[in-house]
Amino acid sequence: MTRTTPPVDEAAAGVFFARGTDVNWILLREGRDLTLIDSGWPGDADALLASVQALGHRPEDVRAVLLTHAHIDHMGGAVHLHQRYRTPVFLHQAELAQTGGGHKQQATAADIAPHLWKPSALAWSLRIVRAGALGPHRVPPALPLPATGALDLPGRPVPVPCHGHTSGHTAYFLPAIGAVATGDALVTAHPLSRTRGPQLLPRLFSHDPAATASSLDALAALDAGLVLPGHGSPWHGPVADAVAAARE
């Protein structure tokens, strides 16, 4: 596990953005309670705990983990929280098969290999191998998200289905502050991308590229002025503008 303390920034009142191994997670705070959105690689578990402690909290203060989808770079730390602290983990019903050992809707080593001639891609691949990309992957027992409405958790996040990257990928809208945690549906950077700013992940990472592009409609409809992506830095401005930039 990595043992460095990750950067933790207060992106908005009560909303904290933390960086792991080329992936992000988000902490929502109300009083002494926290909600965690995504959780990094397995090797980011110590950094995840450090980010909680950096806010003056204990792991026991995390009331639930909300996963945008069942890829190991987003659910690695959730395994530790569930095993050690019995923290409940939630994600879309369609993702449960992947947490249960079913077919994983994610890029394989064979998909990534043709890109490794790029120095940035090779360096990234070495980082994620150290963070646990090659497994074996343990996944947390997970519960399905409620069908509709805001969740009764700190931050009152509202699940927003935006399927395509995986069949049950879900963003989380924070209407009280006008922000949205977009996971991998909309990012602002990736080591295999040559651009910075709002964008889709490279096509090889998408289970259904056409659905991924269409899912941007759900994000564009939100009244949000802050994008909190799964990869890259936060983006300030209307989410509709971020979606337009990604489509360009």
Side-chain angles (χ1 to χ4, degrees), residues 16-235:
F16 300 88
F17 188 84
R19 297 166 176 84
T21 305
D22 295 282
V23 70
N24 309 316
W25 56 84
I26 297 156
L27 289 156
L28 312 178
R29 179 164 67 186
E30 284 187 8
R32 293 303 307 167
D33 295 334
L34 300 171
T35 300
L36 174 64
I37 300 177
D38 285 339
S39 62
W41 294 94
D44 287 327
D46 282 352
L48 172 61
L49 297 179
S51 70
V52 171
Q53 294 164 357
L55 304 183
H57 286 264
R58 305 173 303 153
E60 295 89 339
D61 295 335
V62 179
R63 298 300 171 224
V65 182
L66 304 179
L67 297 178
T68 56
H69 60 297
H71 281 174
I72 193 60
D73 57 329
H74 294 261
M75 63 183 180
V79 175
H80 178 78
L81 287 174
H82 181 79
Q83 290 182 337
R84 180 73 183 272
Y85 303 102
R86 312 310 299 171
T87 311
V89 179
F90 294 89
L91 78 175
H92 192 277
Q93 175 76 38
E95 298 289 294
L96 292 178
Q98 296 192 72
T99 65
H103 173 67
K104 299 295 190 293
Q105 298 173 346
Q106 61 187 35
T108 66
D111 296 322
I112 295 170
H115 299 268
L116 296 184
W117 62 270
K118 306 172 187 176
S120 61
L122 180 59
W124 166 72
S125 68
L126 294 175
R127 290 195 299 271
I128 66 172
V129 166
R130 289 194 295 268
L134 298 183
H137 296 152
R138 292 180 296 170
V139 298
L143 300 168
L145 289 166
T148 59
L151 303 177
D152 186 19
L153 291 170
R156 302 300 183 266
V158 178
V160 179
C162 41
H163 310 330
H165 177 70
T166 60
S167 58
H169 188 286
T170 301
Y172 295 96
F173 178 41
L174 308 173
I177 61 167
V180 57
T182 55
D184 284 3
L186 178 66
V187 303
T188 59
H190 190 274
L192 296 191
S193 173
R194 296 180 178 179
T195 63
R196 293 292 182 269
Q199 60 189 281
L200 297 177
L201 282 173
R203 187 181 179 89
L204 68 97
F205 293 110
S206 182
H207 172 65
D208 184 339
T212 299
S214 296
S215 72
L216 292 174
D217 292 340
L219 298 176
L222 300 175
D223 184 15
L226 174 61
V227 173
L228 303 169
H231 303 274
S233 298
W235 190 86

